């Protein structure tokens, strides 16, 4: 049969089964493995809750990646699945055919449900589990391992979605037999009580990525920090409060609490701090709690002090950086020497350097060039929105002669492109940038290169 004929024949079988739910449930013991995913998908889409309950109990794979099917609110179908799991996890001795170990509610593994007829248990399970996870358990084993439920929470607003509320209530009552694992936890403009409730239910050691972007009322920061300090496997933290001028009038009087201390930061690899109002003067206090080297440090659109900048090259956990982003941190009035020293110390590992909008002066940019020339692993550099001239850009290109891996280069237009009123002279801009490109091509083979001027006061482009 052709692939089209096979697909048509399979669809006819599924429709016949779902027309008679009792027959479909009785047929599960003899159902070929390759028909389980398409039948579950059809039952889920059609909200055949009785069939879903029976299929969960007879599920022949170690993982049920249901999240990619939940494109809309499916409280009733989720309830049916969890009711089936209730029966299984509360048994003193699990059934001999027990295989389901993980319910994945994340938006991943959509390809699992696209498998065509002819798939086997091995081919399906390899898409959702590692080799270690797919080892079949001893059928005689009566020791019950907690069922894992994987979910990503995106908290925005006062109330959780109905499906999330139901899942949390269900997991809270079954903490001994179910592990609720959240890899990505995004906290938006949510009530602190909601956040603390979720953190109290989660298996916190399995939270890997945490994003927080909201301004909370005074006093909540300390409560949140208490729980953040217990998160033991953080890979990425993104915190956005308010930058100085955009903060509410009472921010200065409210922000008196210290930066949270991440006491269990053994697994922390990427640290993102974006628009943090209270970071200025506190960077040393934060970085000293790092226990392992960072791969990614991103401090953007935040105010730093000279003391903060001075500490960067002194922190031993920043000496293996792969990505450094200080975009939007104004450096024009600082000594640039600490940043130069940091670049020298990360020269062997650094791959991306982003200094957009730092408003560095020509002399500051020139001071960085000897250190920049040592960063031979760089694939991206971004110097947009800093002062520059034809002379300093020529010098910069010569210092990057050995940076053969550069794939993306972003430079500010030289000041010679502007008139006395800081308006861009387009003809001069085109001519000078063409000269710079000719020089760069004579030095090395560039990848993608962009020269950008400031916004036009007439068209704002």
């Amino acid at each position: 049969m052709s692939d089209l004929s096979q697909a048509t024949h399979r669809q006819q079988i599924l429709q016949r089964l779902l027309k008679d739910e009792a027959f479909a449930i009785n047929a599960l013991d003899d159902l070929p493995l390759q028909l389980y995913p398409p039948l579950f998908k059809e039952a889920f889409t059609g909200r055949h809750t009785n069939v879903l309950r029976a299929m969960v109990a007879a599920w022949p794979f170690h993982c049920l990646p249901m999240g990619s099917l939940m494109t809309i609110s499916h409280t009733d179908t989720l309830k049916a699945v969890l009711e089936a799991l209730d029966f299984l996890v509360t048994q003193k001795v699990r059934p001999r055919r027990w295989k389901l170990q993980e319910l994945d509610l994340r938006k991943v593994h959509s390809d699992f449900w696209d498998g065509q007829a002819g798939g086997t248990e091995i081919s399906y399970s390899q898409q959702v589990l590692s080799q270690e996870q797919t080892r079949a358990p001893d059928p005689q084993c009566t020791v019950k391992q907690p069922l894992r439920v994987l979910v990503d929470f995106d908290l925005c607003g006062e109330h959780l979605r109905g499906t999330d509320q139901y899942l949390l209530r269900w997991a809270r009552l079954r903490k001994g037999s179910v592990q609720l694992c959240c890899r990505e936890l995004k906290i938006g403009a949510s009530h602190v009580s909601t956040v603390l409730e979720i953190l109290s239910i989660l298996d916190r050691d399995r939270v890997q990525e945490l994003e927080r972007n909201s301004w909370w009322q005074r006093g909540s920061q300390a409560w949140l920090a208490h729980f953040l300090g217990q998160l033991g496997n953080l890979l990425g933290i993104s915190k956005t409060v308010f930058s100085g001028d955009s903060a509410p009038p009472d921010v200065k009087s409210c922000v008196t609490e210290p930066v949270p201390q991440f006491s269990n930061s053994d697994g922390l690899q990427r640290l993102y701090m974006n628009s943090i109002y209270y970071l200025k003067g506190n960077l040393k206090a934060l970085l000293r709690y790092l226990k392992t080297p960072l791969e990614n440090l991103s401090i953007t659109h935040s105010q730093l002090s000279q003391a903060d900048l001075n500490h960067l090259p002194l922190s031993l956990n920043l000496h293996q950086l792969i990505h450094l982003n200080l975009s939007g941190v104004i450096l024009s009035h600082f000594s640039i020497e600490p940043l130069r020293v940091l670049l020298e110390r990360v020269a062997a590992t650094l791959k991306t350097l982003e200094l957009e909008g730092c408003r560095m002066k020509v002399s500051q940019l020139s001071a960085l060039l000897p250190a920049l020339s040592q960063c031979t692993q760089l694939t991206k550099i971004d110097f947009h929105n800093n002062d520059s001239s034809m002379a300093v850009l020529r010098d910069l290109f010569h210092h990057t002669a050995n940076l053969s891996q550069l794939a993306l280069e972003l430079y500010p237009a030289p000041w010679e492109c502007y008139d006395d009123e800081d308006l861009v002279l387009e003809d001069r801009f085109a001519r000078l940038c063409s000269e710079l490109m000719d020089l760069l091509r004579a030095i090395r083979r560039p990848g993608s290169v962009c020269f950008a001027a400031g916004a036009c006061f007439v068209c704002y482009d």
Side-chain angles (χ1 to χ4, degrees):
M1 298 175 65
S2 67
D3 291 342
L4 180 59
S5 299
Q6 285 182 333
T8 302
H9 181 61
R10 183 181 65 179
Q11 191 64 26
Q12 291 174 347
I13 294 175
L14 300 179
Q15 293 300 327
R16 289 175 184 173
L17 286 172
L18 292 177
K19 283 182 179 180
D20 188 343
E21 290 190 350
F23 175 73
I25 293 171
N26 291 329
L28 290 178
D29 287 342
D30 301 318
L31 190 70
L33 290 178
Q34 62 265 30
L35 287 183
Y36 266 84
L39 179 60
F40 188 93
K41 183 177 181 180
E42 289 289 330
F44 188 93
T45 304
R47 300 178 187 262
H48 298 275
T49 54
N50 292 327
V51 176
L52 287 177
R53 292 186 185 94
M55 292 198 72
V56 170
W59 191 247
F61 311 112
H62 289 73
C63 178
L64 175 55
M66 201 173 73
S68 59
L69 299 180
M70 299 175 64
T71 54
I72 59 175
S73 181
H74 277 272
T75 304
D76 52 345
T77 46
L78 176 63
K79 183 177 179 180
V81 170
L82 296 182
E83 286 175 351
L85 292 177
D86 274 339
F87 172 77
L88 295 170
V89 300
T90 56
Q91 299 304 298
K92 293 182 178 179
V93 178
R94 285 180 174 171
R96 291 175 60 87
R97 297 181 63 232
W98 172 274
K99 283 194 174 182
L100 184 60
Q101 299 174 359
E102 192 170 87
L103 174 64
D104 196 340
L105 299 178
R106 301 171 300 166
K107 306 296 184 184
V108 294
H109 305 308
S110 59
D111 54 343
F112 178 87
W113 304 104
D114 297 331
Q116 299 298 315
T120 65
E121 177 181 7
I122 295 177
S123 63
Y124 273 119
S125 61
Q126 281 179 340
Q127 298 179 37
V128 292
L129 291 173
S130 66
Q131 184 176 1
E132 178 182 0
Q133 290 172 317
T134 53
R135 286 201 298 265
D138 184 349
Q140 302 300 324
C141 180
T142 60
V143 178
K144 294 196 299 181
Q145 298 296 324
L147 176 75
R148 287 172 297 179
V149 179
L150 307 183
V151 62
D152 290 335
F153 283 114
D154 190 348
L155 311 179
C156 185
E158 297 182 10
H159 305 291
L160 289 169
R161 296 179 304 171
T163 52
D164 290 340
Q165 291 178 355
Y166 186 86
L167 176 64
L168 284 171
R169 288 197 299 269
W170 180 83
R172 184 191 301 112
L173 296 174
R174 294 155 186 84
K175 287 202 69 171
S177 54
V178 173
Q179 284 183 339
L180 186 61
C181 307
C182 177
R183 183 178 183 274
E184 296 183 6
L185 176 58
K186 297 181 179 181
I187 304 172
S190 306
H191 281 183
V192 177
S193 58
T194 301
V195 177
L196 299 185
E197 178 186 10
I198 291 176
L199 290 174
S200 68
I201 299 172
L202 289 179
D203 182 356
R204 290 193 293 269
D205 286 343
R206 295 183 180 272
V207 177
Q208 294 180 326
E209 296 189 12
L210 174 68
E211 179 177 338
R212 207 208 89 184
N213 54 350
S214 65
W215 170 254
W216 287 340
Q217 63 271 29
R218 184 178 184 180
S220 63
Q221 182 76 18
W223 280 101
L224 182 66
H226 169 72
F227 283 91
L228 295 185
Q230 300 180 47
L231 295 171
N233 196 27
L234 291 174
L235 285 180
I237 301 174
S238 176
K239 297 188 190 154
T240 303
V241 184
F242 285 90
S243 58
D245 293 338
S246 62
D250 60 342
V251 163
K252 291 183 179 180
S253 61
C254 289
V255 182
T256 59
E257 303 169 39
V259 176
Q261 302 171 5
F262 304 103
S263 57
N264 291 326
S265 56
D266 291 344
L268 190 66
Q269 296 175 345
R270 302 192 298 270
L271 179 58
Y272 302 88
M273 295 180 287
N274 306 313
S275 301
I276 306 298
Y277 179 82
Y278 52 79
L279 187 59
K280 184 177 181 180
N282 289 311
L283 187 59
K284 179 179 179 180
L286 175 65
L287 294 180
R288 69 176 176 171
Y289 287 99
L290 297 176
K291 296 182 180 180
T292 54
L294 286 181
E295 292 182 358
N296 190 325
L297 176 63
S298 177
I299 303 174
T300 59
H301 304 289
S302 302
Q303 295 184 29
L304 295 182
S305 66
Q306 182 68 59
D308 293 326
L309 199 63
N310 292 344
H311 183 70
L312 289 179
L314 301 179
S315 176
L316 297 179
N317 290 314
L318 300 184
H319 290 183
Q320 297 181 31
L321 285 178
I322 297 176
H323 308 283
L324 176 61
N325 187 354
L326 297 179
S327 297
V329 177
I330 307 305
L331 301 176
S332 55
H333 300 297
F334 294 150
S335 167
I336 211 71
E337 179 67 11
L339 182 56
R340 183 194 66 78
V341 175
L342 178 62
L343 291 181
E344 290 179 348
R345 293 183 176 175
V346 300
T349 57
L350 193 65
K351 291 187 177 180
T352 65
L353 175 62
E354 298 180 69
L355 299 174
E356 179 180 355
C358 293
R359 301 184 190 175
M360 286 188 293
K361 301 175 182 177
V362 170
S363 59
Q364 291 176 306
L365 187 57
S366 296
L368 294 180
L369 298 186
L372 183 67
S373 66
Q374 301 176 39
C375 301
T376 56
Q377 303 302 311
L378 279 172
T379 61
K380 174 186 177 180
I381 53 177
D382 185 354
F383 290 112
H384 273 170
N385 293 328
N386 290 282
D387 288 343
S388 69
S389 66
M390 288 293 289
V392 75
L393 287 174
R394 292 190 187 102
D395 196 17
L396 190 155
F397 293 161
H398 284 291
H399 277 88
T400 62
N402 294 325
L403 308 188
S404 59
Q405 299 189 49
L406 274 178
L408 179 60
E409 307 171 53
L410 307 173
Y411 301 116
W415 62 262
E416 288 91 345
C417 295
Y418 299 86
D419 63 15
D420 294 338
E421 298 179 353
D422 288 333
L423 296 176
V424 178
L425 302 172
E426 294 186 24
D427 292 342
R428 188 181 299 177
F429 175 83
R431 177 173 57 81
L432 294 180
C433 290
S434 179
E435 291 180 12
L436 290 170
M437 281 304 301
D438 289 342
L439 173 63
L440 185 57
R441 292 190 184 100
I443 295 173
R444 56 178 168 82
R445 181 177 298 177
S448 179
V449 180
C450 175
F451 296 95
C456 174
F457 295 153
V458 177
C459 66
Y460 299 100
D461 196 3

